[in-house]
Amino acid sequence: MNNVYSALSLALIGEKRFVLTTNDYENTVFLFRTLLQESCQFNSEDICEVDVKHELDNNSVDLLIRQMIYWEENTSEYGFKNVIIWRNMEKLSHEQQKVGLFPLLNQIDEYDTTVARANPQSRVQVGSFVIRKPKMFIIVPLIESEHAHPQVYQYVKEKFWFGQNFHYKGGGDEKGEIDYCSDYAGLILEIRNVTRPQVYASSEIQRYIYSLVVHARNHRLCSLAPIQSRLSTRTIDAMQQLSECMVAWKKHGSDRLFVTPDYCKIAMRKIGYWLIDWEHGNIFSTSSDCAEDADLDYRRQLEISMLTGDWYGSDWKYVKKYLETYKTDTNASNYMNKIVEDVLQSVRPPI
């Protein structure tokens, strides 16, 4: 669970959210709860698990919100629980994610406006509730999926910083050795408020991040599924923030607080692997191969012939061979996003 511990810490430092994917929900949620209580010192009352599919199937967004909050007797107000685990998010239809989860996340984020980012509020209006957000607050969807790209609506996907896979093998070795901290919340808040603002990202590093995102957006495979594969311009800030958080987390207590290209590469992989998916939701998807026939092959050939840019004038038989080389292993434990790897090889890091 070391990687999960690091992912959780980075998300709390950056005040973001991440997704945890696994092949075994029950064992993973048990280990994750143990991690939260033993290594992070959260009380069991601070953690809740919500089946979002059950609530949204019943059109009960208010009931979903009620499970994520509690009533504070001392202040006479509602407050979010510290760690909220969402179950079955990937089993929702895109329409349910679009009209149910996306507005909910927007309200929690105060619509991510410039004013909201500059003056974050401790209390937000969510549905019919005014809710206080604690300093240590995170929503973690736990997706039971062996596929690298679960069926998640793209704009909901972008509400989560990155995806972290945990493959449960059994045998009791998954917990691993984690550096114990007697005051985890205090450490996270100190890194967030003191260490991270001191991290320096030079103009060359910022240009490198910009180039990585631009090259990823311009990759020829992205034209086959633009919505699912082209990184938004918000990714530039997300990559820099993740790089800075990694430096602050790894170098806390040191005076060498500057972002290097290696941190940018890790950030590109963490974010790119989660967001870039050229094979999903189009006629070139891997799932379409089971229905391979002459008609599908003709539709693919016609689609390629209509594309411009890198695809212009390409012979279909060579395009087909090229696409075959980019077919990915959908097993999350073996997954490698070849678009991201191409970009990292193409863009030269600053010296």
Side-chain angles (χ1 to χ4, degrees):
M1 294 293 285
N2 281 303
N3 290 337
V4 178
Y5 178 72
S6 296
L8 173 67
S9 302
L10 291 172
L12 288 171
I13 291 168
E15 298 182 90
K16 302 283 188 180
R17 295 177 285 264
F18 77 103
V19 171
L20 182 59
T21 61
T22 181
N23 61 318
D24 189 322
Y25 183 91
E26 298 301 334
N27 284 300
T28 300
V29 78
F30 171 76
L31 290 172
F32 188 46
R33 281 179 171 272
T34 303
L35 170 72
L36 291 169
Q37 294 177 17
E38 292 184 0
S39 299
C40 306
Q41 294 100 49
F42 288 109
N43 297 320
S44 58
E45 298 81 10
D46 300 330
I47 308 166
C48 72
E49 185 179 349
V50 183
D51 188 337
V52 293
K53 179 172 173 54
H54 179 269
E55 305 307 337
L56 293 183
D57 279 347
N58 296 320
N59 296 318
S60 181
V61 177
D62 273 359
L63 186 55
L64 171 61
I65 297 170
R66 283 186 179 276
Q67 295 183 61
M68 297 164 53
I69 62 179
Y70 67 98
W71 178 255
E72 296 184 76
E73 294 290 347
N74 295 335
T75 58
S76 298
E77 63 180 355
Y78 288 106
F80 278 114
K81 295 188 178 181
N82 294 93
V83 181
I84 300 167
I85 302 170
W86 277 359
R87 183 174 189 171
N88 292 326
M89 184 179 78
E90 77 283 7
K91 296 179 182 178
L92 292 170
S93 67
H94 278 199
E95 186 65 21
Q96 287 176 311
Q97 295 179 45
K98 180 179 178 180
V99 303
L101 290 189
F102 189 56
L104 174 61
L105 292 169
N106 272 333
Q107 291 175 40
I108 294 173
D109 294 340
E110 300 178 273
Y111 295 91
D112 197 29
T113 61
T114 304
V115 174
R117 290 195 297 270
N119 301 291
Q121 301 296 316
S122 60
R123 290 168 183 80
V124 293
Q125 178 80 40
V126 182
S128 56
F129 303 92
V130 176
I131 310 171
R132 181 186 62 81
K133 288 199 294 187
K135 293 181 179 179
M136 298 281 284
F137 170 59
I138 190 170
I139 297 173
V140 182
L142 210 164
I143 295 176
E144 187 175 14
S145 174
E146 271 296 273
H147 295 288
H149 287 291
Q151 304 295 311
V152 180
Y153 181 56
Q154 190 67 19
Y155 295 109
V156 171
K157 245 186 178 184
E158 291 179 359
K159 286 292 183 179
F160 297 91
W161 213 3
F162 58 84
Q164 176 65 50
N165 181 61
F166 174 74
H167 185 79
Y168 181 80
K169 299 178 181 178
D173 297 328
E174 283 81 2
K175 186 175 178 180
E177 293 295 329
I178 297 174
D179 293 333
Y180 179 79
C181 175
S182 58
D183 184 12
Y184 180 77
L187 174 64
I188 292 297
L189 293 175
E190 182 181 355
I191 294 174
R192 180 194 297 172
N193 299 323
V194 180
T195 307
R196 186 190 165 189
Q198 299 177 30
V199 176
Y200 175 70
S202 68
S203 57
E204 288 83 1
I205 287 292
Q206 294 175 29
R207 284 196 291 269
Y208 179 52
I209 292 173
Y210 184 89
S211 295
L212 288 173
V213 173
V214 169
H215 275 72
R217 285 174 57 87
N218 290 333
H219 194 282
R220 67 168 63 197
L221 289 176
C222 290
S223 60
L224 302 181
I227 295 177
Q228 292 87 5
S229 60
R230 282 202 171 119
L231 297 174
S232 71
T233 53
R234 292 187 294 272
T235 310
I236 297 172
D237 290 335
M239 281 184 57
Q240 181 169 337
Q241 291 164 3
L242 182 54
S243 301
E244 292 173 355
C245 287
M246 285 190 288
V247 173
W249 173 245
K250 291 292 185 181
K251 301 293 184 180
H252 176 61
S254 170
D255 57 354
R256 299 178 62 83
L257 298 172
F258 52 86
V259 179
T260 64
D262 286 340
Y263 287 107
C264 300
K265 291 178 181 179
I266 296 172
M268 180 64 187
R269 285 192 173 100
K270 298 300 291 184
I271 295 174
Y273 273 45
W274 168 241
L275 292 179
I276 297 175
D277 178 19
W278 73 272
E279 295 176 282
H280 170 70
N282 62 81
I283 63 173
F284 296 97
S285 65
T286 305
S287 59
S288 298
D289 290 343
C290 61
E292 186 73 54
D293 54 27
D295 181 61
L296 178 60
D297 192 68
Y298 175 75
R299 288 176 59 202
R300 289 175 170 175
Q301 184 175 352
L302 184 62
E303 183 78 18
I304 292 295
S305 67
M306 292 189 297
L307 293 173
T308 57
D310 291 334
W311 299 103
Y312 180 74
S314 299
D315 193 321
W316 168 239
K317 68 177 182 179
Y318 297 113
V319 170
K320 196 172 183 178
K321 289 181 181 180
Y322 176 79
L323 295 179
E324 283 298 323
T325 64
Y326 276 84
K327 290 292 184 184
T328 55
D329 186 345
T330 56
N331 188 300
S333 60
N334 301 323
Y335 175 65
M336 182 177 71
N337 193 311
K338 294 183 180 180
I339 292 180
V340 174
E341 298 303 326
D342 277 359
V343 170
L344 291 174
Q345 289 183 8
S346 301
V347 181
R348 180 176 296 179
I351 299 176

